[in-house]
Amino acid sequence: MNNNENNSDKRSAILEAALILFEKDGYSATPIPRISEMAKVATGTIYLYFPSKEELVNAVWRKNKLLLQEFLSLPKNSILDFKSQFQKLYQSYLEFAILHPVSFSFLAFHYHKPYLNNENIALDEIILGSLIEFLKIGQKNHLIKKDNPEVLLALLDGGVSGLFKSAKDGKIQLNKQTRNVAEKIAWRMISLIPNS
């Protein structure tokens, strides 16, 4: 193993340990020595990669937000109609929650604004902005309700978060049937077209 691979492995181990602990205990309650212990690196090694705990949490947030962005990406000039694009986005968000539960929980259930740097705030605005613009297209084409698109997005996001919590608590299974039912309910919630 060369030095670059070893450095990459250490950085990845630090990011993974930090994600797990930040998700479980929160940013404030997670000391750097616990992260180093879980990552199996010296505490000082963390500071070689991340000069501060705030820089570390920003790196963890960014890595996971970019992963989420990959799931929520629709191809440019998609030939899918609006409803099909909505279905794909909703199912992709649920898939992200299922495949990356710690990432989903960290992003969805922790308040990040106090420590996010300007670069990450801008990334968050880009991602949210693209989803808001998507909803505005549906509104412009008289396919979905004219309510504030930020409210619609918050309700859709909250629905996925609620499904995730219920599945985590063992109350439901996020199998294909449940995901399809949830997607249909979400569409009916925002759609102007009855029974579509």
Side-chain angles (χ1 to χ4, degrees):
M1 181 181 294
N2 67 34
N3 253 0
N4 287 343
E5 288 175 343
N6 192 28
N7 288 341
S8 177
D9 289 348
K10 284 182 184 178
R11 187 176 196 283
S12 294
I14 292 165
L15 288 170
E16 186 61 28
L19 170 65
I20 291 166
L21 292 170
F22 289 153
E23 186 277 329
K24 180 178 174 269
D25 299 327
Y27 170 72
S28 297
T30 303
I32 291 291
R34 282 197 46 228
I35 297 169
S36 67
E37 183 181 324
M38 181 178 266
K40 296 181 173 51
V41 300
T43 300
T45 302
I46 290 179
Y47 292 107
L48 293 174
Y49 294 93
F50 308 99
S52 69
K53 184 177 168 185
E54 191 169 293
E55 287 195 34
L56 173 57
V57 75
N58 271 279
V60 170
W61 184 92
R62 184 171 194 80
K63 178 183 178 196
N64 289 282
K65 198 68 167 192
L66 288 170
L67 179 61
L68 172 61
Q69 185 181 34
E70 288 176 30
F71 275 77
L72 297 180
S73 294
L74 285 171
K76 298 287 185 218
N77 303 319
S78 175
I79 60 169
L80 296 175
D81 62 37
F82 183 85
K83 181 180 178 184
S84 298
Q85 289 181 55
F86 172 84
Q87 291 167 324
K88 182 179 181 329
L89 280 171
Y90 196 84
Q91 290 288 350
S92 294
Y93 193 32
L94 284 169
E95 184 180 2
F96 175 77
I98 292 165
L99 296 177
H100 304 281
V102 177
S103 297
F104 179 85
S105 182
F106 171 71
L107 292 172
F109 302 127
H110 292 273
Y111 183 64
H112 302 285
K113 278 286 196 226
Y115 52 72
L116 283 187
N117 61 29
N118 290 337
E119 186 181 8
N120 284 342
I121 289 169
L123 173 62
D124 199 37
E125 288 172 0
I126 289 168
I127 294 169
L128 290 174
S130 68
L131 295 170
I132 295 295
E133 284 308 310
F134 172 74
L135 291 174
K136 285 180 178 179
I137 290 168
Q139 290 175 328
K140 181 180 175 186
N141 291 307
H142 309 288
L143 299 170
I144 64 172
K145 294 176 179 158
K146 298 285 187 190
D147 298 304
N148 181 333
E150 296 214 10
V151 172
L152 294 177
L153 184 60
L155 290 170
L156 292 166
D157 179 51
V160 172
S161 296
L163 289 166
F164 178 83
K165 282 183 186 178
S166 291
K168 194 172 178 181
D169 291 343
K171 295 176 183 172
I172 63 169
Q173 289 185 351
L174 278 179
N175 55 31
K176 187 172 178 65
Q177 180 182 0
T178 302
R179 293 192 315 262
N180 287 340
V181 167
E183 172 222 302
K184 286 177 181 149
I185 292 169
W187 174 252
R188 285 196 306 264
M189 180 179 76
I190 67 168
S191 177
L192 280 176
I193 306 162
N195 303 320
S196 68

